[in-house]
Amino acid sequence: MHNFVFHIPTKILFGQGTLPALGPETAAWGRKALLVYGRASLRRNGLHTLIVESLQSSGVEVVEHGGVRANPLLSHAREGVAKAKSARVEVIVAAGGGSVIDTAKAIAAGALVEHDLWKFFIGKKGIKGALPLLTVPTVAASGSEMNSGMVLTNDQTREKLGFGHRLLFPKVSILDPTTTYTLSREYTAYGAIDALCHAVEFYLSTSEPETSIQDRLMEGLIENAMHACNRCQATPCDYAARADLMWTAALALSGLTAAGLGRVGMPMHLIEHSLSALFDVAHGAGLSVVMLGWLRAHRERCASRIAQLGRRIFACSEPSEQQLAKRTLILLEQWLHSIGAPTTLNHLGISAADIPALSENTCAQARLWRLHDYTPQRVAAILSLCL
Amino acid sequence: MHNFVFHIPTKILFGQGTLPALGPETAAWGRKALLVYGRASLRRNGLHTLIVESLQSSGVEVVEHGGVRANPLLSHAREGVAKAKSARVEVIVAAGGGSVIDTAKAIAAGALVEHDLWKFFIGKKGIKGALPLLTVPTVAASGSEMNSGMVLTNDQTREKLGFGHRLLFPKVSILDPTTTYTLSREYTAYGAIDALCHAVEFYLSTSEPETSIQDRLMEGLIENAMHACNRCQATPCDYAARADLMWTAALALSGLTAAGLGRVGMPMHLIEHSLSALFDVAHGAGLSVVMLGWLRAHRERCASRIAQLGRRIFACSEPSEQQLAKRTLILLEQWLHSIGAPTTLNHLGISAADIPALSENTCAQARLWRLHDYTPQRVAAILSLCL
């Protein structure tokens, strides 16, 4: 086991009926809040009213910053920073999916500095402070509600970059599974794929040979992401299933899974970010495709790990590790297909002709993530297995 | 899934070579520390010197409070409180097993009040504050290094009582698996049993019917406690095995396992505390015996849960759930026997004649733990299955 620091300072309030705690919890951190949210759904499902009422009844003044979109944009986060500064807000509240929470993190850090916040993303400036952040996730996917990471797309340069800093952990996150009841079948699947993929990336990218306890935790999360997704799709208002998926997604990128694994990469996310940056693909949809391509490209090299996953997740067996790894990929693809996720670039409207541009875009990020072995040639080879 | 609060504020520094961080981490909380530790082992293995040097080189003055024994005593914690008050220490550092850390927690809370600290344990006073606590666990067992619980034995009344409060979470815990290299084969087993039993108790006492994700996490921890224990006993200085057991034990009672399970009881611990209180039995040794008796008493009622555990942990199968539950108990007993743990009260020098006194002692605690269905008759019936 590699040395590690494990520290999740975020307080999680989990369950139905927990939303009214938002006001008092926020008031403990500030009296004027920037409320960051998305476009239509928060108003449509009545959550916006509940949140504003809870905040105001605790004496917290609300400044609105709606309009975050999927694959959130740097320009919109910059507007949020300007608003936070001019209104002198003391606390940020994010209500929505991973895009909303990530935008709120960027604003929380950007509001305390004079320079442009993109400098954090390209490594030109370090984070020294951040406004306190509270979140109300409404999608089970990114785990941003219980981690210190964020991802933004620079709409000028078409770079989608992510990074993390311990000061970006939310202070409090309120996870009410009923807020995810209205998620479509499609986006429920994309969320589950995102959560599953976080664990799969760590599972396959560790250089640590002894990962006994982490393996069991990751396998449990992977299996649950699949199982809970199936149940949510069958019965969108199945509380137990929504709760299971929500908690699984929060844990999958919380620091629990990577503890002890040493330096782990997230090459599937790396490549997917280019699909999102250049083609505005939904993150989970892109991951579905890229994960399969990456696994095909590394099937032989990672055969024993993929085989162990298959044995434990799908309870399948084959005469050899190579055959079992192959079978695991087939079963994973079948599952992705069954939940309505795209499994080829063609499904996303992307063709072989787009691969060079995607590979170039990926490698610009790869350098920032220190994944130096991801050359344009290697990325192109992976993407060609996604066709 | 029941509603829950998940909050582990403790920062964990895990791995070999992390001990020198103790000084700087402590200095961030205070300039004068009460160092709480046990009797001989800390000095014998050189850790005492390392710790004092680390603290002093960071400008932290050290006041010593050694002498904590297994089944730690209230009287010794009271002495620590008096010392902490008279020396006006600002921070507590605990280095040792669960007994040492629990004693340190009691001192941390007791040092800030005028009343006797036992009032916390019997519910007469609530905890309103505590000195900051840092820990260096040297045994993989109780998980006290990453939770808010503590257990003490009142040496006058022979009550062994435990409870928890969020203010008792350590600020920082430094987990170096090499500190457990010198643990005997016997105490390695007792620690693993304690960790395993934490997860088993939650697994079997939840009233929540939908525990998909929690089950996988608990099963993973149970399996790892067993597997890592076997490896540690075979090769005491196997770093990976020691690390696995240490991290498993920390997670097993961290709040991760019980999240969403609703109100869980710890009846095996409850009954074991009486064995420790009246016969000064080592906690893990007592748990080994009591766990088997409790499982025998509840085998039919909990057949489907015990069977699921057996299926997933021991990969065994039988024609019926009842048979599988029975088989699971046999396999568990065989494992306990294989690691040298006692499996009957007789092994502990306790006879049938002692059961009435043990049952009475247990039930005094049961009322405090609100386990009202644990009557003397019921406890006696369980204990008679431990003979």
Side-chain angles (χ1 to χ4, degrees), chain B residues 16 112 164 223 283 371:
Chain B
Q16 51 192 332
L112 295 187
E223 188 177 46
H283 180 52
L371 289 171

Side-chain angles (χ1 to χ4, degrees), chain A residues 4 6 14 212 216 223-224, chain B residues 12 14 212 216 223-224:
Chain A
F4 63 87
F6 177 82
F14 191 102
S212 179
R216 291 296 180 182
E223 187 177 47
N224 268 281
Chain B
I12 301 292
F14 191 102
S212 180
R216 290 296 180 182
E223 188 177 46
N224 268 282

Side-chain angles (χ1 to χ4, degrees), chain A residues 298-331:
Chain A
H298 295 79
R299 201 193 73 212
E300 293 192 17
R301 197 195 299 179
C302 302
S304 69
R305 295 289 289 168
I306 299 173
Q308 174 177 293
L309 193 62
R311 201 157 37 233
R312 295 183 178 175
I313 302 300
F314 296 114
C316 57
S317 66
E318 293 287 340
S320 77
E321 298 277 271
Q322 288 291 350
Q323 286 166 288
L324 184 48
K326 196 170 176 182
R327 174 101 184 112
T328 302
L329 258 65
I330 292 169
L331 291 170

Side-chain angles (χ1 to χ4, degrees), chain B residues 79-384:
Chain B
E79 289 167 24
V81 168
K83 219 178 270 186
K85 284 179 176 175
S86 71
R88 296 173 190 268
V89 304
E90 297 167 349
V91 55
I92 312 278
V93 174
S99 301
V100 168
I101 300 174
D102 287 8
T103 298
K105 286 178 179 175
I107 296 170
L112 295 187
V113 294
E114 290 309 311
H115 64 75
D116 182 57
L117 66 89
W118 191 245
K119 290 190 176 175
F120 294 138
F121 288 79
I122 56 174
K124 297 273 186 198
K125 291 283 183 184
I127 291 181
K128 300 280 197 309
L131 289 174
L133 167 68
L134 293 90
T135 84
V136 180
T138 59
V139 182
S142 72
S144 190
E145 63 275 16
M146 198 162 80
N147 69 38
S148 61
M150 58 177 178
V151 179
L152 279 189
T153 297
N154 184 325
D155 22 353
Q156 291 169 322
T157 64
R158 301 315 302 172
E159 295 165 285
K160 184 175 178 178
L161 300 182
F163 86 110
H165 190 283
R166 64 184 170 76
L167 291 171
L168 299 178
F169 273 104
K171 301 296 182 192
V172 181
S173 288
I174 297 181
L175 280 64
D176 180 343
T178 66
T179 63
T180 66
Y181 280 176
T182 51
L183 263 186
S184 68
R185 174 181 157 81
E186 194 181 6
Y187 274 84
T188 297
Y190 296 165
I193 293 166
D194 193 15
L196 173 145
C197 191
H198 291 144
V200 168
E201 297 241 45
F202 292 159
Y203 198 89
L204 296 176
S205 71
T206 177
S207 59
E208 169 61 51
E210 303 255 16
T211 53
S212 180
I213 176 67
Q214 292 90 349
D215 283 1
R216 290 296 180 182
L217 298 176
M218 290 186 283
E219 290 152 6
L221 293 168
I222 292 167
E223 188 177 46
N224 268 282
M226 298 173 69
H227 182 52
C229 176
N230 296 344
R231 287 148 63 214
C232 291
Q233 287 195 328
T235 315
C237 296
D238 177 339
Y239 181 80
R242 290 290 187 185
D244 211 32
L245 189 56
M246 192 165 219
W247 188 226
T248 296
L251 288 174
L253 196 60
S254 67
L256 178 71
T257 39
L261 295 182
R263 195 168 159 269
V264 281
M266 296 183 79
M268 302 173 197
H269 274 70
L270 174 83
I271 298 172
E272 193 294 314
H273 285 179
S274 294
L275 271 60
S276 291
L278 298 186
F279 295 89
D280 204 17
V281 163
H283 180 52
L287 279 178
S288 178
V289 173
V290 172
M291 177 163 60
L292 288 172
W294 192 96
L295 286 166
R296 289 183 196 112
H298 296 80
R299 200 193 73 212
E300 293 192 17
R301 198 196 296 179
C302 302
S304 70
R305 295 288 288 167
I306 298 173
Q308 174 177 294
L309 193 61
R311 201 159 35 233
R312 294 183 178 175
I313 302 301
F314 295 113
C316 58
S317 65
E318 291 289 339
S320 76
E321 298 276 272
Q322 289 291 349
Q323 286 166 286
L324 184 48
K326 196 171 177 181
R327 174 102 184 110
T328 301
L329 258 65
I330 292 169
L331 291 171
L332 181 63
E333 184 173 353
Q334 284 175 354
W335 176 71
L336 290 166
H337 183 73
S338 76
I339 61 169
T343 53
T344 69
L345 285 175
N346 296 336
H347 292 161
L348 301 171
I350 298 172
S351 72
D354 300 314
I355 289 180
L358 287 166
S359 305
E360 282 302 329
N361 186 285
T362 297
C363 291
Q365 300 170 60
R367 285 188 285 277
L368 287 166
W369 284 18
R370 295 192 218 161
L371 289 171
H372 299 295
D373 49 347
Y374 279 80
T375 59
Q377 294 72 28
R378 183 173 176 194
V379 175
I382 293 168
L383 285 169
S384 66

